[in-house]
Amino acid sequence: MTSDDHTGPGPGPGRRPRGEPGPGHRPDDGPAIEAEGLRRRYAGGFEAVSGITFAVPHGEIFALLGTNGAGKTSTVELLEGLAAPDGGRVRVLGHDPYRQRAAVRPRIGVMLQEGGFPSDLTVTETVRMWAGCTSGARPTGEALDMVGLTDRARVRVKQLSGGERRRLDLALALLGRPDVLFLDEPTTGLDAEGRRDTWDLVRRLRETGTTVLLTTHYLEEAEALADRLAIMHGGRVVASGTPAEVTAARPARIRFDLPAGVPAARLPLSLRAARQGARRIEIRTHDLQQALTELLGWARDQDVRLDGLDARSASLEEAFLEIARSAGGHADRTDTAGV
């Protein structure tokens, strides 16, 4: 992919309620993004995408996640119209993004992992250059304000931090007021405040009706932003649904320390430890409320203090790791979990 694929002209200004289609939409257009039996092969016969199917309604944030080498990038390139599928069907805003590029390109924005802008231009000059290729572009000041770069408008691109360059990437993707926005690792290099500000901006875009397809290494980000998500492994979608639906199938956990002299064998039979150290106990359960009630009742009756008590439902990261392991994949336990 090249920086030429960042953004294009879009519909005129004006806010619209979440989920309401943009000006160019027709009622029979169907989902904003639709993949059906999608396949992509490379030289030597390697199939990176193996017949996946999913749809993203208008006005939704959809996260596409995956283990390393899962086929996620290959899928997104097909959705963006950068390559033709080797099988199946893809539609963006009711059109084939590869064969009907002229109809799709003006209505989508693409934020790549790296823009590759001329380093000697200032931030303002870069935005104006891009706006010159974009029909109906937002004013430069508006675009910079949206991403918090107003104070850096006169700074040369080569002097920006990595996080500031990511915000400039986002500003250019938003210039054409896209109906569909593709965000590839949008918060890489941002500090905690910058990440939260970007999350808030993405939510505001959704509220105006923009459809967002997000890829991210930060599973917390997907859990916080996505209305729905799909997890890929080996070229296939192995789990999909809302973040709550994906995590609900995984057990919750209760962790605590037993006092010295109180063995784990004294716990009720229904609360046998899934893991235990010298004193640290972990219990896994699909009924967190019932298990926690029983544990606390037992501790009260036995006059046992549970130090470091921590009870929580499964996180998306835990669900992702379990899916990766069960599918034979590998993912790190940190924010670099493979996507």
Side-chain angles (χ1 to χ4, degrees), residues 94-107:
H95 301 283
D96 183 321
Y98 183 78
R99 293 179 175 83
Q100 298 174 295
R101 186 175 179 81
V104 176
R105 198 65 202 97
R107 299 177 59 192

Side-chain angles (χ1 to χ4, degrees), residues 34-299:
E34 186 176 17
E36 183 178 350
L38 201 59
R39 295 182 180 275
R40 186 175 185 184
R41 300 182 186 92
Y42 290 92
F46 172 69
E47 188 170 64
V49 182
S50 303
I52 66 172
T53 296
F54 65 88
V56 184
H58 291 268
E60 179 175 274
I61 300 175
F62 185 87
L64 188 62
L65 310 177
T67 54
N68 292 323
K72 177 262 303 176
T73 298
S74 294
T75 298
V76 173
E77 289 179 350
L78 295 178
L79 300 177
E80 293 170 351
L82 300 181
D86 293 297
R89 175 178 179 271
V90 58
R91 292 291 182 270
V92 174
L93 299 169
H95 301 283
D96 183 321
Y98 183 78
R99 293 179 175 83
Q100 298 174 295
R101 186 175 179 81
V104 176
R105 198 65 202 97
R107 299 177 59 192
I108 68 173
V110 179
M111 179 183 181
L112 306 178
Q113 288 194 38
E114 185 175 351
F117 309 118
S119 60
D120 287 329
L121 294 182
T122 66
V123 169
T124 293
E125 289 168 344
T126 301
V127 176
R128 287 176 177 168
M129 177 188 69
W130 210 259
C133 304
T134 304
S135 299
R138 299 178 191 271
T140 297
E142 177 185 330
L144 295 181
D145 183 63
M146 290 177 73
V147 299
L149 281 180
T150 301
D151 293 340
R152 305 289 280 169
R154 297 183 179 180
V155 174
R156 295 188 186 278
V157 170
K158 64 183 177 184
Q159 296 174 309
L160 297 177
S161 68
E164 288 170 338
R165 290 191 184 206
R166 292 308 287 150
R167 284 190 270 167
L168 178 57
D169 291 334
L170 180 56
L172 299 187
L174 295 174
L175 266 181
R177 299 182 174 88
D179 286 322
V180 174
L181 179 64
F182 293 94
L183 299 179
D184 191 358
E185 308 292 347
T187 62
T188 298
L190 298 182
D191 59 21
E193 182 180 7
R195 186 175 299 172
R196 297 290 176 173
D197 288 344
T198 299
W199 291 4
D200 289 342
L201 174 56
V202 171
R203 292 187 183 107
R204 291 196 301 271
L205 290 168
R206 176 184 60 187
E207 289 169 1
T208 66
T210 302
T211 304
V212 179
L213 190 139
L214 166 75
T215 65
T216 179
H217 279 81
Y218 301 116
L219 298 178
E220 176 195 5
E221 182 164 274
E223 192 164 22
L225 288 178
D227 298 303
R228 292 186 309 117
L229 59 87
I231 298 176
M232 293 185 66
H233 175 74
R236 301 181 183 275
V237 172
V238 295
S240 63
T242 66
E245 289 169 345
V246 172
T247 58
R250 277 77 200 172
R253 70 170 187 265
I254 305 171
R255 292 174 177 167
F256 54 91
D257 292 324
L258 284 174
V262 179
R266 283 183 55 185
L267 289 167
L269 289 176
S270 60
L271 297 178
R272 287 306 183 194
R275 296 180 184 175
Q276 65 182 80
R279 294 176 54 198
R280 190 66 172 170
I281 303 296
E282 179 177 311
I283 294 170
R284 296 194 175 188
T285 175
H286 286 281
D287 191 338
L288 180 58
Q289 180 174 331
Q290 175 62 32
L292 188 57
T293 299
E294 186 173 355
L295 175 64
L296 294 175
W298 171 84

